């Protein structure tokens, strides 16, 4: 009975039209053009590399799309157990009408050709969105993105701020900030103005969130302007040679200033907590980052207290931090659970993390899922994976366990999948 | 089959008469008088606050019980997915004979009135205990509690010691210790005598446990009397201005001295490990504490080694510490698993933590559950939630997995639910 | 349906003939001689001790095997809920043809006698291996083991290096190294030569792995030869009185040198991460070690980067580290998931850790299980416990969830259970 119920709930959830609250889609080129764009997703290149394929072979420049795919195909059977590969088979089935139970030497060229023909259709982008039942999509935009040339209702800008917080000492970043904001930066007031200008630019272009990914050691502090002024002065002089104390002080100050701007503009501040960059520097592109799971949300307690009116949708990289996220969302009005991120975005971690959230966090404070995709085709299989897990928790815990009606369970599912995205991000 | 078996086991477990080994019940006013006493439980006020209700609105003084409830009702639908709210519906069903699947504007006044009438019955306390099948109840008593005016067989005193360990520098605490013990404290020997006197007072009044909650950073050390003498002298002079080194030293020394007294009186020492107090100081009453899950039982290794004859029933705040609790209980004869505490007291954490305990800890060293309640009405729904999980593990792992008879599984369940409370606490 | 499917998959997995990639078997005395050898396994003595039996009573010297068993029997009912005790019942059933659902005063003597007769049969070792469907077995050999007197094809040597890394300051260890390698050690070059000689000795004797267990604080560093030379000189002079800085420096240097030798000989380096030794020094033999679960694989990032051609099969002591193991195996080509170790070797931890691995790690990089046994009889029940969990994940996630055929699921199971042992260890 439980499996039939799950299936019934899944089908109802799968009817919903959604907003995807975090992606890396390029609004000027949102969909794929060849199968190589799909197989180029770092999940496949890094798993293929982990399974033994040399990075140089995977990433050799000046190799055409067909050859890029050919080089990966032989290794796909080594990763056919992974959730990630199952996304690809779902894409083949739902987007290309090709039902296969594995992708190998025998069938990849057919798929490559079919995919190429489909993707060449003029309305491919709309087709994909319609099939995926995704109506609107959050982007990830550099602070100096002009945000032009696309429909900002469909593709909602989001101000990504890693560079400002962690790389301000690089002259390239400072230059980008100065030229995009048209503020010449020689003191803290200039920096404040430049940051404020960027927020205004984003707000004018319909931005609905500010976002950042943070390393495990990061513990936001409210640095005084006096101290920051000194560190900024050092940083403007020494650039990347700035001592780490000053770099850290500026990181903390800029981060706090971002929160100030979020408060000013009633903008949610997405925190993606826990990633160490370049742990494996010889890994493939975007396949070099890992983490130290020893991180705690208590590092953010001062921040949550200081900005009670700023919603903080929080993603945690490791499932071990999920219980803290549940507890902090249950206590702090401005802390919100946000999706299942990266290394925690596989079925068994989603299952346990989601169950813990649904049984203890106010229902309006759980943003179910975002795809984190780079190409539109991935929303469908990734959301599908999540909806399977959501249907399972709704069936087991709420309908069978607590005696809820299916209708009531679906209403909770809809709130988590769709309504909360709209209410939290005011979109 | 598995669901029928679970149900059958649950019903048998639900017949057992139990002792509740940890509560905050006031023995002079153990039951509720209005629905506001139930909805005033911090789980509801903090979740309502987290869902958006201002603290000032929830906690406004001089508001009558009916109005206090009215103010919360509108927000309950925002938390109707939580396990905590399901306790309230169970209370309505079992204690008030009101079967509802949600509590809202349409039905709360009826419930308020029905509840009020029932609670006004002279034997309400006994009714609740009988329906809950709870025979005896552990209390949480301040060290200066006179322990008078109630039946200490039914309401078993437990010496709570947070104040002595963490707030001795406050003159109010010192004063209470001096006046309750009738020992004037000017040196370490005085302090020893005062503490000893308090233990004797509690033992005379049938106390069966000493208890304390501990922050994640706490790492008990055996401080020499010489060092403690110096720190006490500073503390007696400077009070709350005592340097933190001396405060910590006194915390460790008092803690160790408590263990000495537990040893002397063969009293179990309940350790509730991992809470940070006042992380969200603007939260509602009792809704301000959170935690840093980076804590390890290795911090207590020296203690466990130093007091082999003292049983340490241990509660951990975060589920991530549960595996350590299992392993330490499996190795140390004096370490005992104790219940599912606070942020880990929701179904999915109970399920996984309990399964891990039952498959690797000697069966006599698992205290299944305590309600932690402030009002008697909560024992029923909270124990019910636990028994559901216990029935599930017994059905799946022991009966279906290992081929145990139902009878044998129930015997294990009974030991965990009842017998171990009696043997560990000698009550 | 799901239970029938699990059973069907289990039976197919149970047909496979396996290689056990990590044990502590003594190849000169691999099987037990009396029931006391089985009940002497630390899992039983430490659990009996934890349940209340005094260490002195359990370990009293000059007590004959029958009496040693008699002393434990009375306590077994206190641990009959544990997975560990279920292994013993499986041994009785499968190796001794004695089907009992508990071992107690009423039946232990019969079992003792039957076991004794069986074990006395000349071909008992072969019988056990055949019934267990174990073909070859990895050993754990001290660095000065002569590796003589046994068939190194069946009993595969593995160079265990804890002594070299952590106890080189003990004169006994240095003496053993000098005499086994025939290198007199007075400088770093000598130490290098001695270590190299030991690797050559092991390689000549068919060794297929180097292995070590590591405490949570260990964070490998590449120490320069210059710094190591100084610390070695101190260590050769002061022995166990060497300052801890020099001891640590030598630990790190020796560890790195082991990795160098593994690279030279293409030998996998088994890392068993996270154990603190002698946390409970009054515990029974081998029942004194516990852990601090606050450990991260990021501590090994420099090592993984420095030795890309060395496979590192990694065991983690606490389940909380499993997600990091999954993620690091998914990114680093040379990191491999290895079995379910010690405190994580109980059904519920295996279930969740295994599911997480199978859904995100390339299938060739998951070594399913090793028995860690001291006596051959334990391979059968321990692998049986694992196969039950493996069958469950294959049934639920792959066949029912992803629509795989049973045949395909079994092929994945076989790779994890057998093939990967052969490919990773080249055996």
């Amino acid at each position: 009975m439980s499996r039939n119920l799950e299936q019934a709930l899944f089908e109802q959830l799968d009817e919903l039209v959604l907003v995807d609250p975090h992606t890396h889609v390029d609004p000027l080129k949102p969909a794929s053009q060849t199968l190589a764009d799909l197989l180029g997703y770092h999940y496949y290149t890094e798993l293929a590399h982990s399974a033994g394929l040399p990075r140089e072979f995977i990433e050799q420049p000046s190799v055409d799309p067909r050859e890029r795919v050919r080089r990966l195909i032989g290794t796909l059977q080594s990763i056919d157990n992974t959730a990630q590969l199952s996304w690809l088979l779902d894409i083949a089935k739902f987007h290309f009408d090709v039902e296969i139970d594995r992708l190998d030497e025998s069938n990849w060229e057919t798929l490559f050709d079919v995919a190429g023909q489909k993707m060449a259709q003029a309305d491919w982008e709309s087709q994909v969105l319609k099939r995926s039942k995704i109506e609107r999509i959050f982007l990830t935009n550099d602070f100096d993105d002009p945000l032009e040339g696309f429909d900002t209702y469909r593709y909602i800008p989001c101000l990504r701020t890693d560079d400002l917080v962690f790389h301000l000492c690089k002259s390239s970043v400072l230059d980008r900030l100065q030229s995009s904001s048209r503020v010449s930066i020689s003191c803290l007031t200039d920096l404040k103005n430049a940051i404020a200008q960027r927020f205004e630019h984003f707000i004018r272009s319909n931005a609905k969130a500010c976002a950042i990914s943070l390393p495990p050691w990061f513990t936001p502090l409210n640095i005084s302007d006096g101290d920051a002024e000194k560190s900024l002065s050092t940083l403007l002089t020494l650039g990347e040679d700035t001592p780490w104390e000053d770099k850290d002080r500026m990181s903390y100050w800029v981060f706090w200033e971002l929160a100030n701007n979020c408060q000013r503009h009633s903008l949610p501040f997405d925190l993606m907590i826990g990633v160490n960059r370049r742990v494996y520097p010889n890994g493939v592109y975007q396949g070099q980052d890992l983490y130290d799971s020893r991180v705690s949300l208590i590092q953010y307690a001062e921040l949550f207290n200081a900005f009670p009116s700023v919603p903080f949708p929080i993603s945690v990289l490791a499932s071990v931090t999920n219980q803290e996220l549940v507890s902090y969302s249950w206590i702090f009005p401005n802390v919100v659970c946000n999706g299942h991120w990266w290394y925690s975005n596989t079925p068994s971690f989603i299952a346990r993390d989601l169950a813990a959230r649904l049984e203890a966090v106010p229902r309006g404070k759980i943003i179910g899922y975002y795809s984190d995709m780079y190409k539109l085709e991935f929303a469908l299989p990734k959301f599908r994976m999540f909806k399977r897990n959501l249907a399972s928790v709704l069936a087991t815990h709420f309908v069978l366990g607590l005696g809820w009606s299916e209708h009531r369970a679906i209403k909770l599912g809809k709130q988590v999948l769709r309504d909360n995205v709209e209410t939290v991000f005011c979109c």
Side-chain angles (χ1 to χ4, degrees), chain A:
Chain A
M1 185 177 87
S2 157
R3 289 218 158 244
N4 291 344
L5 175 63
E6 271 182 50
Q7 180 62 24
L9 294 177
F10 170 78
E11 285 166 16
Q12 291 174 72
L13 296 172
D14 204 33
E15 288 304 308
L16 302 169
V17 175
L18 305 180
V19 176
D20 188 339
H22 176 64
T23 79
H24 295 269
V25 160
D26 174 357
L28 305 179
K29 234 164 92 181
S32 301
Q33 292 179 297
T34 73
L35 190 58
D37 288 342
L38 298 175
L39 272 167
Y41 199 9
H42 68 84
Y43 287 101
Y44 304 116
T45 54
E46 72 203 14
L47 281 167
H49 177 52
S50 172
L53 215 57
R55 182 182 64 159
E56 298 70 21
F57 186 70
I58 298 170
E59 298 191 334
Q60 190 179 339
S62 74
V63 160
D64 75 12
R66 190 176 289 267
E67 174 61 15
R68 289 216 318 275
V69 172
R70 186 199 307 276
R71 289 182 174 198
L72 287 167
I73 287 299
T75 311
L76 295 191
Q77 65 185 12
S78 307
I79 63 170
D80 73 351
N81 57 303
T82 63
Q84 295 87 337
L85 200 73
S86 73
W87 303 338
L88 199 65
L89 301 185
D90 270 3
I91 288 177
K93 177 173 173 183
F94 294 104
H95 286 314
F96 306 140
D97 293 318
V98 175
E99 205 153 342
I100 47 179
D101 65 1
R102 69 194 72 199
L103 186 60
D104 60 18
E105 309 286 357
S106 76
N107 58 14
W108 76 268
E109 293 212 83
T110 310
L111 187 68
F112 189 94
D113 293 335
V114 171
Q117 286 156 22
K118 299 251 186 191
M119 290 162 168
Q121 293 167 2
D123 64 343
W124 179 248
E125 172 187 347
S126 304
Q127 279 185 42
V128 170
L129 286 172
K130 197 174 166 203
R131 256 193 310 269
S132 311
K133 304 208 180 71
I134 299 288
E135 204 171 24
R136 304 176 68 196
I137 286 170
F138 279 63
L139 306 175
T140 292
N141 305 92
D142 283 338
F143 67 83
D144 57 341
D145 191 318
L147 305 175
E148 284 164 3
F150 60 91
D151 171 3
T152 61
Y153 177 79
R154 176 181 279 188
Y155 292 110
I156 303 168
C158 167
L159 172 56
R160 183 69 175 244
T161 55
D162 301 47
D163 281 347
L164 292 174
V165 171
F166 295 107
H167 301 296
L168 198 64
C169 61
K170 293 183 184 166
S171 61
S172 60
V173 173
L174 255 182
D175 289 351
R176 286 166 49 209
L177 180 57
Q178 295 186 102
S179 77
S180 62
S181 67
R182 291 184 196 132
V183 175
S184 168
I185 299 172
S186 59
C187 68
L188 204 67
T189 303
D190 298 336
L191 182 55
K192 275 191 198 182
N193 290 337
I195 292 172
Q197 196 281 338
R198 292 290 79 202
F199 271 82
E200 282 148 24
H201 165 68
F202 269 76
I203 293 289
R204 268 196 310 272
S205 301
N206 195 38
K208 296 297 181 191
C210 177
I212 189 168
S213 74
L214 298 153
W217 54 263
F218 197 75
T219 303
L221 294 172
N222 186 1
I223 303 292
S224 74
D225 280 5
D227 287 346
E229 190 77 78
K230 283 179 222 150
S231 291
L232 178 62
S233 161
T234 307
L235 184 145
L236 291 173
T237 315
L238 297 181
E240 297 194 49
D241 296 328
T242 302
W244 66 262
E245 293 90 341
D246 292 294
K247 282 185 187 168
D248 280 3
R249 205 171 289 129
M250 282 316 297
S251 291
Y252 290 133
W253 185 90
V254 171
F255 181 80
W256 211 266
E257 185 63 15
L258 296 175
N260 276 320
N261 278 278
C262 285
Q263 182 173 269
R264 210 163 290 144
H265 296 287
S266 300
L267 206 62
F269 196 176
D270 281 1
L271 307 183
M272 313 184 80
I273 295 174
V275 61
N276 292 101
R277 300 290 179 186
R278 289 180 59 75
V279 172
Y280 175 43
N282 291 318
V284 298
Y285 175 65
Q286 294 183 329
Q288 305 173 3
D289 305 334
L290 280 157
Y291 58 94
D292 178 341
S293 60
R294 296 168 302 180
V295 62
S296 172
L297 294 189
I298 206 152
Q299 299 167 216
Y300 294 84
E302 190 182 339
L303 179 80
F304 301 151
N305 278 297
F307 296 96
S309 70
V310 175
F312 291 101
I314 291 184
S315 301
V316 293
L317 191 52
S319 176
V320 62
T321 320
N322 185 64
Q323 191 182 6
E324 283 195 11
L325 180 53
V326 167
S327 305
Y328 280 67
S329 301
W330 142 2
I331 293 297
F332 278 102
N334 55 340
V335 174
V336 173
C337 300
N338 192 15
H340 300 269
W341 188 32
W342 201 344
Y343 293 110
S344 289
N345 185 28
T346 63
S348 70
F349 291 118
I350 294 173
R352 72 177 85 154
D353 294 347
L354 179 62
R357 294 176 192 181
L358 285 174
E359 72 193 16
V361 176
R363 55 193 291 166
K365 301 179 68 191
I366 304 166
I367 295 174
Y369 197 70
Y370 51 78
S371 73
D372 215 1
M373 66 185 167
Y374 286 77
K375 290 293 178 187
L376 287 188
E377 289 83 358
F378 281 99
L380 192 152
K382 290 180 131 187
F383 269 96
R384 194 175 166 80
M385 176 178 74
F386 176 72
K387 290 172 202 166
R388 285 265 170 225
N389 276 288
L390 179 57
S392 170
V393 180
L394 292 175
T396 311
H397 182 67
F398 291 94
V399 178
L400 298 177
L402 295 176
W404 282 27
S405 68
E406 286 188 41
H407 176 74
R408 190 175 178 189
I410 289 297
K411 226 176 128 188
L412 175 58
K414 175 169 176 292
Q415 179 168 12
V416 159
L417 270 168
R418 162 115 204 191
D419 304 347
N420 290 340
V421 177
E422 296 180 318
T423 53
V424 171
F425 294 106
C426 307
C427 68

